[in-house]
Amino acid sequence: MTTPSYTTTFTVNRSPEAAFAAIINPRAWWSGAFEGDSTELGDVFTYRYQDLHYSRQEVTELVPGRRVAWQVLDADLSFLKDRTEWTGTTIAFDIVHTGSHTEVTFTHVGLKPEVECYDICTDAWTSLIQGSLKQLIETGTGALPELAEPAA
């Protein structure tokens, strides 16, 4: 039996198209520096947060109003023993219209309880997904949380 990857879900009173538009604009809901684009299939973008996190991701799935997925091509998380732990993982968003609401399910495929980053990374993802992304979809402005530095 395999351990499931980290998943979190929220519901908003907005259209699937509004959720999709927010997801593909991570600059509006992530704190840090970006290079590149994330709006077209095959786009590659990099994200950096201080000296703690660097990742390069490719948009591998893009179904308007339904699904977004980014493959982590390269990662350097300086606070981990295996700094490349995220390399090869997938960050995915599934969007489902349910009556007058839209449900967004986020999964970081490969981020499992047995990996070193699990506790720190799930805390960060929960803040970003349940806080900043949800707020961006609901109000048009992301929370852009200041991420805490992991304990050494």
Side-chain angles (χ1 to χ4, degrees), residues 2-152:
T2 59
T3 310
S5 297
Y6 173 72
T7 298
T8 188
T9 301
F10 65 82
T11 302
V12 291
N13 190 18
R14 296 285 186 259
S15 71
E17 294 75 21
F20 180 83
I23 292 165
I24 65 171
N25 184 16
R27 283 176 176 87
W29 55 278
W30 285 9
S31 297
F34 282 87
E35 291 182 20
D37 294 316
S38 56
T39 58
E40 300 289 332
L41 193 62
D43 278 354
V44 174
F45 65 96
T46 61
Y47 169 73
R48 183 178 309 275
Y49 183 77
Q50 299 177 0
D51 292 333
L52 298 171
H53 178 119
Y54 163 83
S55 61
R56 185 168 56 94
Q57 302 174 42
E58 178 181 0
V59 179
T60 56
E61 293 182 63
L62 204 61
V63 181
R66 298 197 53 214
R67 183 164 169 87
V68 176
W70 304 323
Q71 179 78 40
V72 180
L73 302 173
D74 186 32
D76 182 9
L77 289 89
S78 66
F79 55 92
L80 300 177
K81 288 177 188 156
D82 177 3
R83 295 170 64 138
T84 64
E85 194 172 271
W86 277 27
T87 301
T89 64
T90 300
I91 296 165
F93 303 84
D94 290 295
I95 305 163
V96 176
H97 186 66
T98 56
S100 63
H101 296 80
T102 297
E103 182 178 273
V104 176
T105 300
F106 167 87
T107 305
H108 188 156
V109 180
L111 182 59
K112 299 180 177 192
E114 59 267 21
V115 300
E116 182 184 2
C117 190
Y118 188 79
D119 290 335
I120 294 167
C121 293
T122 58
D123 285 350
W125 276 131
T126 298
S127 175
L128 285 169
I129 302 302
Q130 294 287 343
S132 191
L133 176 58
K134 184 178 181 189
Q135 181 178 313
L136 177 63
I137 296 167
E138 291 176 330
T139 69
T141 303
L144 295 174
E146 194 61 32
L147 303 177
E149 293 191 25

